[in-house]
Amino acid sequence: MSKQYRIAVIPGDGTGPEVIREGVKVLNAAAQRFQFKLDYINYDLGGARYLRTGETCPDSVLAELRKFDAIYLGAIGHPDVKPGILEKGILLALRFALDQYINLRPVKLFPGVDCPLKYKGPEEIDYVVVRENTGGLYTGTGGISMKGSAHEVAIQNMVYSRFQVERCLRYAFNYARRRNKRKTLALSGKTNVLTYVFDLWERAFNEMGEKEFKDIKREYYHVDATCMWMVKNPEWFDVIVTENLFGDIITDLGAMTQGGMGIAAGGNINPEGVSMFEPIGGSAPKYTGMNVINPLAAICAGGMMLGELGENAAAQAVEQAVMNVTAHKVKNLGAGKMGYSTTQVGDLVAKGVAG
Ligand code: IPM
Ligand code: MN
């Protein structure tokens, strides 16, 4: 009997539904070729629902989402909703509630894609960032006192437990081992200033590496220097592990070096639970409904989802099909500049996957 997976689909806001539609098209082509089944159930979450009902992610929906094999998310963000409400109420709420403690973000330049880094090509830009996804400044305590007065004080703490740090590091070490490229794990931190939090990260990193991962080479870079080397010598990197906000920031830089938000995908992973896959760009409201947005990031996120479900051959076929499309057809990845519509790009990849 063929395997069957239940996927919760959250198309979300703006161009989310358009890119997810193409992603589903490609996933279906992969399912047919590699003989597994995908059952989708759509969930209406996002700005439109919030404006209609005042709800972000109701408990009843969350309870249902826990029962899926994976979640496939388009984009969350609406121009008429104050910043923070949807991000905290939906995207971050799901990451935290489902304990998706890893945010896996490959930085890979596909053939044919225009890269802003002179002299760098697909050979040089191919690494993965493991971003801690449920701690640090995102869940640390804080507050504002004497708000509105000249003496107001705002505090937001970077908080990490040894447990959070270790489980993230263990995932990253194992990932570097599985990836088997250069077997190198780089910790990106700020040990020269954040002498508490990164003292913990660095000690845990070295202790774990020494004890459990002798086969993995360890490197350390300050986060600012990491940005510098991501531009100057991206070929140095294999797997980078870092805390939540640093990971958020450096992966936007990484995304630009791989051709931009049109192609950058990520997975919010709970290795023991329900993971969620998304293009890392936003909802691009100004392109909504125009059929010009690039669906490749969403398609790549779908490919990552297949890999996480254990359908490795299918995941590879999706990536290969995307690479063929960038190598031979879609060179400019910008919205409206692809030379193809959103639908046509989806069709091209789906055709490649079908074989
Ligand atoms: C990302 C986004 C989110 C984050 C925002 C929208 C909350 O920037 O997925 O990188 O900061 O994690
Ligand atoms: Mn971000």
Side-chain angles (χ1 to χ4, degrees):
M1 223 189 73
S2 68
K3 279 205 172 160
Q4 188 157 348
Y5 305 99
R6 293 183 68 242
I7 311 295
V9 181
I10 307 173
D13 297 316
T15 51
E18 290 166 63
V19 297
I20 286 294
R21 189 186 62 218
E22 301 314 312
V24 166
K25 189 187 278 177
V26 171
L27 289 170
N28 285 339
Q32 184 158 25
R33 165 146 169 226
F34 294 93
Q35 306 206 337
F36 54 87
K37 279 215 172 88
L38 294 169
D39 286 335
Y40 308 97
I41 299 196
N42 266 52
Y43 284 87
D44 169 29
L45 297 178
R49 178 174 184 159
Y50 175 75
L51 290 170
R52 215 170 53 236
T53 69
E55 292 167 311
T56 47
C57 183
D59 289 345
S60 57
V61 172
L62 185 58
E64 287 182 33
L65 290 175
R66 290 182 189 282
K67 297 188 209 135
F68 284 85
D69 293 307
I71 303 171
Y72 191 35
L73 172 76
I76 298 289
H78 196 292
D80 301 338
V81 181
K82 205 173 127 214
I85 294 179
L86 302 173
E87 292 86 341
K88 285 193 170 174
I90 303 174
L91 183 62
L92 298 178
L94 288 173
R95 288 178 184 170
F96 301 150
L98 299 173
D99 205 16
Q100 293 161 343
Y101 61 88
I102 298 297
N103 197 325
L104 192 65
R105 297 189 162 180
V107 179
K108 183 166 178 170
L109 179 65
F110 288 158
V113 174
D114 222 8
C115 172
L117 305 184
K118 220 173 168 184
Y119 313 123
K120 302 295 175 188
E123 279 286 295
E124 284 81 25
I125 302 177
D126 181 9
Y127 56 94
V128 178
V129 178
V130 175
R131 164 185 173 190
E132 200 289 325
N133 208 33
T134 54
L137 284 154
Y138 280 69
T139 45
T141 52
I144 302 189
S145 53
M146 295 171 283
K147 191 166 179 173
S149 81
H151 297 277
E152 69 182 318
V153 176
I155 301 176
Q156 200 123 29
N157 290 311
M158 185 184 281
V159 178
Y160 269 107
S161 67
R162 162 88 54 174
F163 171 79
Q164 287 177 314
V165 171
E166 282 191 353
R167 68 179 180 172
C168 176
L169 289 171
R170 182 164 286 110
Y171 181 92
F173 273 117
N174 275 318
Y175 192 90
R177 188 180 270 168
R178 255 201 332 271
R179 178 169 151 93
N180 199 20
K181 193 180 174 214
R182 287 184 31 234
K183 290 207 171 181
T184 302
L185 180 62
L187 171 64
S188 179
K190 193 74 185 172
T191 52
N192 52 349
V193 176
L194 304 179
T195 48
Y196 306 125
V197 165
F198 283 101
D199 180 71
L200 172 57
W201 274 87
E202 196 178 36
R203 275 185 294 114
F205 179 61
N206 288 324
E207 284 165 22
M208 186 175 291
E210 207 47 52
K211 232 164 99 188
E212 298 173 44
F213 299 95
K214 278 213 186 302
D215 55 322
I216 306 299
K217 187 166 166 249
R218 296 192 300 277
E219 291 176 344
Y220 172 82
Y221 301 91
H222 294 321
V223 65
D224 46 352
T226 308
C227 292
M228 184 169 86
W229 300 125
M230 282 168 68
V231 170
K232 179 107 191 345
N233 295 111
E235 65 277 8
W236 285 0
F237 296 117
D238 179 12
V239 181
I240 299 176
V241 62
T242 192
E243 74 86 34
N244 205 345
L245 184 67
F246 288 0
D248 176 47
I249 297 167
I250 70 170
T251 52
D252 268 26
L253 173 60
M256 284 304 134
T257 67
Q258 67 180 123
M261 290 304 177
I263 192 96
N268 301 276
I269 294 176
N270 176 341
E272 299 89 32
V274 184
S275 300
M276 175 167 76
F277 299 82
E278 52 170 341
I280 80 175
S283 57
K286 72 173 182 189
Y287 296 114
T288 303
M290 296 167 69
N291 203 24
V292 296
I293 196 80
N294 187 342
L296 290 177
I299 291 169
C300 289
M304 289 180 74
M305 178 169 78
L306 295 179
E308 194 63 25
L309 290 170
E311 297 293 340
N312 292 315
Q316 269 173 26
V318 171
E319 190 177 272
Q320 193 53 55
V322 171
M323 288 208 247
N324 288 342
V325 166
T326 60
H328 305 293
K329 311 261 181 192
V330 183
K331 315 250 167 221
N332 190 322
L333 303 182
K337 300 190 185 124
M338 299 187 291
Y340 297 85
S341 68
T342 306
T343 320
Q344 285 172 325
V345 175
D347 287 342
L348 285 170
V349 181
K351 206 167 146 225
V353 169

